[in-house]
């Protein structure tokens, strides 16, 4: 009787719980049994492991082989268990020294030739192996992910023969060099500048406020006025991620099968899903739950163009993650939580024909039906909504003074963000309760003015607090310590959707 235990890790959301691969060789008819709640892809590893061991020049034991993946209640899927199962069989049969497996974790998929292939979602495993201070053996193809963490105990293998030689002490494991993990944050190189945007001064100001306070922003206007162009330029105004945030974002992308690249490690994600996206692709889920677009936009921007073309039930799925900063996916096998702290930027036409007012071909009833595709509670999550009108005649042909550059606006945004973090430890979008009251410093008279304005527009209590946060950001950009009435009035000016809905209600 011979036994061996090999350490590896499963993948559960962005978590990598420890799994022990127990291999038992016993007398009896030759058989290969795999237990411990393996999915189909794991059960198929029996044939891959057998061929890989034989084709690598090792002896496959003709005995009864039982492989247990513990704990049994944890679902296991993917090819990452091939390598630890093969190592366990070789150790149990005495072909590699069992003492070389101590404090070491293995993961990787095996080719029939014995080559070790890369696996998706390894970044959480690397992070948790570092926390446990264990040696981690990975496929060489997963080196880019390991470089993001820079854990010096990560080693790489390309073939089962090479791995066996290293475990016997006959050669050294290739690992990370001391320089590979260092990735310096840099200012993004942008091909488009805010100075190229003609007109639309209020929209550019709203974009600056949204970037400074991480506020949700809705662009409202006819086709071709630059809504999508403005939304894409917000990325040049945002600061890079810090290391902790970048690692968190990279882990989510790794789990989703999107290998993070060191060049874009500190860059905030910008996700722009098509309006035909389903709720699962947007929020996440599936038989084996994967993160959706809102999690892939974590610490970045989610841009929804043609907002009214998204199904209403899909958009309503965003309401809770927008408030909590995470999405919880419950399935029969597991309950997973993915971080979803994103900034929402959206663009839409104000009517089915694209225009409102005298030039519109749509009746107030048609416009009301069109806007009813968006629920009130969903629209309530936007801090700012701004009109992006058509440019006046002659604007395009006349010589224009160049506007402010992205770099200049970005400097103001970064200064405002630093001030917010120094004052409250969070950005203005995350101010709540007493912290919001103490931070804004609004006097009682101005607070009554805001409350009366909210009542006239028919806004909710949530909007009452969102207006205070926007006013706080405006004051920060102006360099004022307290929020004054002028800041509140300016924040009320960025409520284009509320004014449109109020005018439609009056015309009924």
């Amino acid at each position: 009787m011979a036994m061996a235990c090999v350490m590896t890790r499963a993948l559960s959301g962005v978590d990598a719980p420890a799994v022990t691969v127990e291999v038992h060789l016993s007398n009896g008819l030759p058989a290969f049994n795999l237990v411990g709640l393996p999915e189909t892809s794991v059960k198929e590893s029996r044939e891959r492991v057998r061929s890989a061991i034989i084709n690598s020049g090792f002896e496959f034991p003709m005995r009864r082989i039982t492989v247990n993946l513990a704990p049994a209640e944890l679902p296991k899927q993917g090819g990452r268990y091939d390598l630890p199962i093969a190592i366990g069989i070789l150790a149990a049969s005495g072909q590699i020294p069992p003492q070389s497996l101590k404090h070491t974790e293995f993961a990787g998929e095996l080719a029939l030739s014995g080559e070790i292939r890369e696996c998706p979602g390894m970044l959480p495993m690397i992070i948790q192996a570092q926390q446990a201070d264990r040696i981690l053996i990975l496929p060489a193809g997963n080196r880019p992910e390991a470089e993001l963490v820079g854990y010096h105990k990560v080693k790489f293998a390309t073939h089962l023969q090479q791995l066996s030689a290293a475990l016997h002490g006959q050669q050294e494991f290739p690992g990370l060099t001391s320089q590979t993990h260092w990735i310096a944050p840099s200012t993004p190189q942008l091909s488009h500048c805010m100075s190229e945007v003609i007109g639309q001064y209020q929209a550019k100001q709203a974009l600056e406020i949204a970037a400074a306070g991480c506020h949700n922003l809705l662009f409202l206007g006819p086709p071709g006025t630059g809504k999508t162009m403005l939304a894409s330029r917000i990325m040049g105004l945002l600061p890079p991620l810090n290391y902790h945030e970048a690692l968190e974002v990279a882990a989510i992308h790794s789990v989703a099968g999107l290998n993070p690249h060191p060049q874009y490690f500190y860059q905030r994600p910008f996700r722009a899903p098509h309006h035909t996206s389903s709720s699962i692709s947007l929020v996440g889920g599936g038989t084996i739950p994967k993160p959706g677009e809102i999690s892939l936009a974590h610490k970045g921007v989610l841009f929804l163009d043609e907002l009214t073309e998204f199904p209403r039930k899909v958009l309503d799925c965003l309401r809770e993650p927008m408030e909590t900063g995470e999405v919880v996916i419950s399935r029969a096998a597991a309950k997973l939580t993915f971080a979803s702290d994103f900034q929402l930027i959206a663009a839409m036409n104000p009517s089915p024909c694209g225009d409102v007012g005298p030039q519109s071909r749509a009746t107030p009833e048609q416009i009301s039906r069109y806007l009813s595709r968006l629920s009130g509670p969903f629209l309530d999550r936007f801090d700012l909504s701004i009109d992006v009108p058509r440019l006046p005649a002659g604007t395009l042909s006349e010589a224009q003074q160049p506007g402010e550059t992205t770099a200049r606006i970005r400097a103001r945004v970064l200064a405002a963000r630093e001030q917010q973090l120094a004052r409250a430890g969070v950005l203005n979008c995350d101010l709540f309760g007493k912290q919001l009251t103490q931070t804004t410093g609004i006097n009682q008279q101005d607070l009554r003015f805001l409350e009366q304005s909210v009542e006239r527009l028919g806004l909710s209590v949530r909007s009452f607090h969102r207006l205070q946060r926007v006013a706080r950001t405006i004051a920060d950009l102006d360099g004022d310590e307290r929020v004054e009435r002028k800041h509140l009035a300016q924040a009320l000016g960025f409520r284009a959707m509320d004014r449109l809905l109020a005018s439609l209600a009056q015309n009924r």
Side-chain angles (χ1 to χ4, degrees):
M1 183 178 70
M3 279 195 65
C5 292
V6 181
M7 297 299 299
T8 185
R9 290 184 181 272
L11 185 62
S12 179
V14 290
D15 191 22
V19 172
T20 303
V21 179
E22 301 172 335
V23 179
H24 178 210
L25 304 184
S26 60
N27 297 326
L29 293 175
F32 193 163
N33 298 316
L34 194 60
V35 297
L37 203 61
E39 302 286 346
T40 303
S41 57
V42 182
K43 292 178 180 178
E44 293 172 348
S45 68
R46 291 177 296 189
E47 303 305 321
R48 292 194 296 269
V49 168
R50 186 197 307 271
S51 296
I53 289 177
I54 294 172
N55 291 328
S56 298
F58 298 102
E59 179 185 351
F60 189 83
M62 299 303 293
R63 301 172 67 182
R64 185 177 184 85
I65 304 173
T66 303
V67 178
N68 179 40
L69 306 178
E73 68 273 6
L74 183 68
K76 293 96 178 173
Q77 65 272 340
R80 61 173 57 208
Y81 300 98
D82 290 4
L83 183 59
I85 291 172
I87 293 296
I89 292 174
L90 294 176
S93 59
Q95 299 181 69
I96 60 174
Q99 61 271 19
S100 64
L101 308 182
K102 291 182 179 180
H103 309 293
T104 304
E105 298 180 3
F106 298 81
E109 181 180 335
L110 289 176
L112 300 184
S113 62
E115 180 185 355
I116 304 174
R117 292 173 173 167
E118 66 178 294
C119 294
M122 286 298 187
L123 195 56
M125 184 176 187
I126 299 169
I127 295 171
Q128 298 202 4
Q130 182 182 33
Q131 294 172 354
D133 193 28
R134 289 176 177 162
I135 299 171
L136 179 60
I137 310 300
L138 291 181
N142 289 109
R143 176 182 284 270
E145 290 178 276
E147 289 177 345
L148 300 179
V149 182
Y151 181 40
H152 68 282
K153 289 188 177 181
V154 176
K155 309 298 180 181
F156 303 100
T158 57
H159 199 279
L160 205 53
Q161 287 179 334
Q162 176 220 3
L163 178 56
S164 174
L167 292 175
H168 277 93
Q170 298 172 357
Q171 66 179 58
E172 292 291 329
F173 273 116
L176 294 175
T177 62
S178 58
Q179 291 82 17
T180 52
H181 69 278
W182 176 249
I183 309 161
S186 59
T187 303
Q189 299 296 319
L190 302 172
S191 57
H192 302 291
C193 183
M194 290 285 286
S195 62
E196 299 172 358
V197 180
I198 301 174
Q200 307 298 3
Y201 302 108
Q202 191 180 25
K204 288 190 283 188
Q205 185 182 24
L207 198 65
E208 179 181 347
I209 295 169
C214 197
H215 301 293
N216 299 325
L217 171 62
L218 174 62
F219 287 119
L220 190 68
T225 55
K227 302 185 294 296
T228 304
M229 175 190 63
L230 283 163
S232 63
R233 277 166 168 74
I234 194 174
M235 300 308 296
L237 306 180
L238 299 176
L241 298 165
N242 60 41
Y243 180 75
H244 175 74
E245 292 173 335
L247 204 57
E248 192 176 357
V249 170
I252 295 173
H253 284 234
S254 175
V255 169
L258 306 174
N259 291 330
H261 195 282
Q263 182 180 354
Y264 307 108
F265 183 59
Y266 289 101
Q267 185 173 317
R268 293 183 183 271
F270 181 85
R271 306 293 299 185
H274 193 259
H275 58 75
T276 56
S277 300
S278 65
S279 58
I280 290 179
S281 67
L282 206 60
V283 178
T287 306
I288 302 173
K290 291 288 185 71
E293 290 290 340
I294 64 174
S295 294
L296 295 174
H298 180 59
K299 296 300 179 183
V301 173
L302 178 69
F303 175 53
L304 302 182
D305 202 3
E306 304 296 344
L307 187 64
T308 50
E309 300 304 320
F310 283 84
R312 179 169 174 163
K313 65 178 182 180
V314 172
L315 294 178
D316 283 342
C317 291
L318 302 182
R319 286 157 47 185
E320 186 177 353
M322 288 171 69
E323 293 292 326
T324 62
E326 62 182 22
V327 58
V328 180
I329 301 173
S330 297
R331 294 292 182 268
K335 181 179 180 181
L336 303 179
T337 300
F338 294 107
S340 303
D341 184 13
F342 61 92
Q343 181 178 4
L344 179 61
I345 308 293
M348 59 174 285
N349 299 326
S351 72
C353 70
D355 284 302
V356 292
Q359 69 273 29
S360 175
R361 301 190 304 273
T363 64
E365 290 76 16
Q366 290 174 324
I367 297 175
S368 294
R369 283 197 301 272
Y370 177 76
L371 297 179
S372 67
R373 298 178 185 179
L374 307 175
S375 68
F378 173 72
L379 289 174
D380 209 24
R381 264 68 177 182
F382 285 99
D383 303 283
L384 306 100
S385 59
I386 186 69
D387 279 318
V388 187
R390 298 187 190 278
L391 295 175
T395 304
L396 297 176
S397 57
E398 294 175 359
Q400 298 287 329
Q401 290 291 332
E404 284 190 301
T405 62
T406 295
R408 188 171 178 180
I409 300 173
R410 174 187 167 89
R412 290 199 300 267
V413 168
L414 297 186
R417 281 184 169 235
E418 290 175 3
Q419 184 179 357
Q420 294 165 36
L421 294 174
R423 179 178 56 228
V426 296
L427 296 178
N428 289 338
C429 64
D430 293 323
L431 294 173
F432 291 95
K434 290 184 179 179
Q435 192 179 33
L436 176 61
T437 304
Q438 295 169 357
T439 303
T440 55
I442 306 174
N443 61 46
Q444 201 63 32
Q445 188 176 0
D446 290 343
L447 206 58
R448 282 197 296 270
F449 160 75
L450 179 61
E451 185 177 5
Q452 292 169 1
S453 302
V454 166
E455 289 177 356
R456 282 198 301 270
L457 288 172
L459 304 181
S460 66
V461 176
R462 181 187 287 112
S463 296
F464 175 72
H465 292 128
R466 288 185 180 275
L467 283 165
Q468 294 180 57
R469 298 186 193 111
V470 172
R472 177 66 269 178
T473 302
I474 296 171
D476 289 336
L477 290 169
D478 289 345
D480 295 329
E481 293 185 5
R482 297 174 62 89
V483 174
E484 302 174 2
R485 182 170 298 195
K486 63 179 181 179
H487 304 129
L488 295 172
Q490 191 173 352
L492 285 164
F494 294 113
R495 306 292 298 191
M497 177 59 80
D498 298 319
R499 292 194 297 272
L500 176 59
L501 294 174
S503 64
L504 289 172
Q506 291 176 357
N507 292 332
R508 287 178 185 172

